[in-house]
Amino acid sequence: MGDANVLARVLDWMPFVLTGFGLNVLMSLLAIAIGTAVGTFLGLGQLSQPLIIAVPSRLATQLFRNAPWLVLLFYCIFLMPYQVGIGGSVIVLPSWLRATIGFSFPVAANFSEIVRGAVNSVPRGQWEAAEALGYGRQSTLFRIILPQCVTRMIPPWMNLYALLLTATPLSVIVGVEEALGRTQAAVQALSDSRMLIPMYLALLAMFFIYAWPINRLSLMLERRFRTK
Amino acid sequence: MNASSSSQPLISLRGVRKSFGPFEVLRGIDMDIRKGEVVAIIGPSGSGKSTILRTINGLTPINDGVIMVGEIKVNDPKVDKVKLRHRVGMVFQQYNLFPHKTVLENVAMAPIQVLKEPRSLVEERARKLLGEMRLPDKADSYPGELSGGQQQRVAIARALCMEPEVILFDEVTAALDPEMVKEVLAAVRKVAEDGMTCILVTHEMGFAREAADHIYFTDKGLIVEHAPPAEFFTRASDPRTKEFLSKVL
């Protein structure tokens, strides 16, 4: 069996694996969206003065930031119901969706820290100047501090996304049919040990080709914002 | 001068005390500043000069004493902060311009957003002030594109645009390169000559001597003595003042 033959057999299975990869991308996009939205609230919560908001926000952030992603995933898969009834209709929650929610927790916690760090990196003088001009705490945050933070938050946010994407194959353990699961299935179907390494190389390449430009872009943006 | 010194002071501090933790920075400060007066506060670093300024517009809350600005009691916990900051402007050592806003926006945003004045009116005033600060063509630049001296003049225009009755200048030339000190001092001078009540904390003794009506000397959280500049610089009586002047003059 020649190299060309190996390549041809890998390519044969690519549509099957790529469909699974589509699920990885979908899960990552949904999880970053949910995580960013929730993380924004958590981050602003961490920064707020009333302790009744600040303390739970800090606790949640620390809890989900320091828990292994896989453990959070298990929690979501096994503790969340298989279906939820909204009104009269019953919505089935497929395992990939429950896994997505599982990924959203650590993403939210990490983004919460990105928000807190970015806000705290704005010099104190900005707050004081705003205060001296009659701005209250909230309008200072929204009109003066946060607009300066957005550019600082984009590079770490993109890194977080790349990290999230590379974590999505964890969901194979809870039975989601994503790229890793499908590669395993393909290797079994091929039942040829010589195909093992090429198939997993193809899988690696898939993730790399998707995630690497994101990391490069985030690095580039980081440099650009730093010099400004 | 006599007529104004007999009138009610615009700003008065009585027995003002402030501690940061166990360290007492202000140990009973009394001051009276009348409308149109230019007052310089000088003294060794760490003597509480900047803290005095920051208590006057309520940036630093005090532990004891009374501060009045006009009829506003600054140390009242329920004080109307917007009203207070409308009357008392401040210029900082580090300029503290908002880097994501143009020069014009920096100058005009607070009167529009905080004082709710009409945009067209405020922007017209802001452009006029930038002209007076000799920055007429910088309205659309960003602070990062300006020199330190230019940024500080924008900060002065920003304070003026609130149309305050008094402006606090907190070591406004301390962060500047020597060649830019002059242009900023000239700008402060112009503000003072236009009749604005000014309180400045400064290390520029020559400037204090020329521009101020009154000099306060602070040491270890107390006002050691105060006098008009001619008297202060020639006939200082307190040994602490003498020692300080011998070092800086």
Side-chain angles (χ1 to χ4, degrees):
Chain A
M1 194 176 75
D3 288 346
N5 195 7
V6 170
L7 187 65
R9 290 171 78 189
V10 168
L11 285 178
D12 267 352
W13 283 97
M14 274 307 102
F16 177 72
V17 178
L18 272 172
T19 313
F21 187 68
L23 197 53
N24 292 77
V25 172
L26 179 66
M27 285 193 291
S28 70
L29 289 176
L30 268 177
I32 194 83
I34 299 169
T36 304
V38 176
T40 305
F41 281 103
L42 274 182
L44 295 178
Q46 289 200 82
L47 292 159
S48 68
Q49 274 173 336
L51 288 181
I52 193 144
I53 302 171
V55 171
S57 303
R58 278 178 215 153
L59 272 176
T61 300
Q62 289 312 319
L63 179 67
F64 294 124
R65 224 166 74 92
N66 294 304
W69 291 36
L70 189 55
V71 175
L72 292 173
L73 201 60
F74 269 53
Y75 262 90
C76 276
I77 290 291
F78 298 122
L79 291 183
M80 268 174 65
Y82 289 91
Q83 53 189 39
V84 283
I86 297 174
S89 59
V90 172
I91 298 169
V92 180
L93 295 177
S95 56
W96 70 264
L97 193 59
R98 279 178 287 141
T100 302
I101 294 166
F103 288 127
S104 303
F105 282 97
V107 172
N110 279 286
F111 192 67
S112 166
E113 281 295 280
I114 291 174
V115 171
R116 193 186 59 85
V119 168
N120 284 342
S121 74
V122 175
R124 265 194 62 79
Q126 293 285 309
W127 288 92
E128 286 184 347
E131 200 183 344
L133 288 167
Y135 285 95
R137 201 181 142 79
Q138 259 193 23
S139 51
T140 303
L141 183 66
F142 285 101
R143 289 182 192 272
I144 290 155
I145 307 297
L146 284 178
Q148 298 183 46
C149 290
V150 174
T151 51
R152 292 168 203 242
M153 291 190 305
I154 288 172
W157 178 76
M158 289 172 72
N159 276 334
L160 180 60
Y161 176 70
L163 208 67
L164 163 65
L165 178 88
T166 55
T168 51
L170 286 174
S171 61
V172 74
I173 300 174
V174 292
V176 178
E177 247 193 77
E178 46 67 72
L180 177 60
R182 288 200 164 204
T183 303
Q184 283 177 342
V187 168
Q188 270 175 20
L190 283 161
S191 63
D192 180 348
S193 63
R194 282 169 308 175
M195 289 307 293
L196 198 73
I197 289 172
M199 281 303 287
Y200 280 104
L201 264 180
L203 178 67
L204 273 182
M206 222 174 271
F207 276 91
F208 185 80
I209 290 167
Y210 185 85
W212 186 69
I214 296 173
N215 270 323
R216 291 300 302 171
L217 187 65
S218 113
L219 230 113
M220 217 178 70
L221 289 174
E222 199 177 332
R223 274 199 214 105
R224 230 185 84 195
F225 295 144
R226 198 190 302 145
T227 51
K228 202 174 149 189
Chain B
M1 214 61 202
N2 277 335
S4 71
S5 54
S6 61
S7 65
Q8 272 289 317
L10 174 62
I11 293 165
S12 78
L13 286 76
R14 285 290 172 273
V16 171
R17 286 174 173 274
K18 172 67 189 176
S19 306
F20 292 113
F23 183 63
E24 200 168 31
V25 225
L26 302 181
R27 300 186 295 154
I29 299 285
D30 296 313
M31 284 176 96
D32 282 307
I33 294 140
R34 284 171 187 79
K35 201 167 169 50
E37 248 184 340
V38 177
V39 169
I41 305 173
I42 64 175
S45 46
S47 62
K49 308 182 295 283
S50 289
T51 310
I52 296 176
L53 277 197
R54 299 164 57 92
T55 62
I56 295 174
N57 71 345
L59 275 189
T60 299
I62 59 174
N63 299 118
D64 199 15
V66 180
I67 301 176
M68 299 294 296
V69 174
E71 77 291 345
I72 303 174
K73 190 177 174 195
V74 179
N75 54 306
D76 183 345
K78 293 192 293 288
V79 66
D80 182 343
K81 289 267 170 72
V82 172
K83 211 167 140 194
L84 173 65
R85 268 100 199 218
H86 187 181
R87 293 185 82 161
V88 186
M90 187 161 191
V91 182
F92 298 87
Q93 180 178 342
Q94 298 292 346
Y95 342 126
N96 296 345
L97 296 179
F98 305 130
H100 60 302
K101 298 279 183 188
T102 65
V103 164
L104 185 70
E105 287 171 330
N106 262 282
V107 176
M109 65 191 283
I112 295 169
Q113 293 175 347
V114 178
L115 305 180
K116 313 286 182 205
E117 294 177 15
R119 174 177 292 272
S120 57
L121 199 81
V122 176
E123 286 189 348
E124 192 186 320
R125 187 164 78 222
R127 285 185 195 280
K128 190 169 145 270
L129 287 168
L130 286 172
E132 285 173 16
M133 289 292 126
R134 297 189 296 109
L135 296 162
D137 49 342
K138 298 290 184 198
D140 300 319
S141 305
Y142 282 88
E145 299 161 5
L146 305 184
S147 73
Q150 291 171 327
Q151 289 193 51
Q152 194 58 296
R153 283 182 281 145
V154 174
I156 295 171
R158 178 171 73 174
L160 284 169
C161 202
M162 291 286 279
E163 302 192 305
E165 285 176 67
V166 53
I167 297 187
L168 314 171
F169 293 91
D170 188 8
E171 302 197 30
V172 292
T173 57
L176 293 172
D177 292 334
E179 70 268 24
M180 291 167 189
V181 169
K182 231 177 169 176
E183 63 183 63
V184 170
L185 289 182
V188 177
R189 187 94 197 233
K190 178 168 171 22
V191 173
E193 279 168 359
D194 289 347
M196 179 64 67
T197 311
C198 297
I199 309 177
L200 11 121
V201 165
T202 185
H203 290 124
E204 299 287 333
M205 293 305 143
F207 182 73
R209 188 173 194 157
E210 286 169 38
D213 300 315
H214 215 81
I215 307 237
Y216 281 83
F217 177 77
T218 58
D219 189 32
K220 297 193 176 74
L222 287 170
I223 289 172
V224 175
E225 63 180 312
H226 62 98
E231 202 176 310
F232 180 84
F233 283 103
T234 52
R235 292 192 291 274
S237 51
D238 194 279
R240 285 168 291 186
T241 318
K242 281 183 184 160
E243 192 201 336
F244 177 75
L245 288 177
S246 73
K247 278 183 200 153
V248 296
L249 287 181

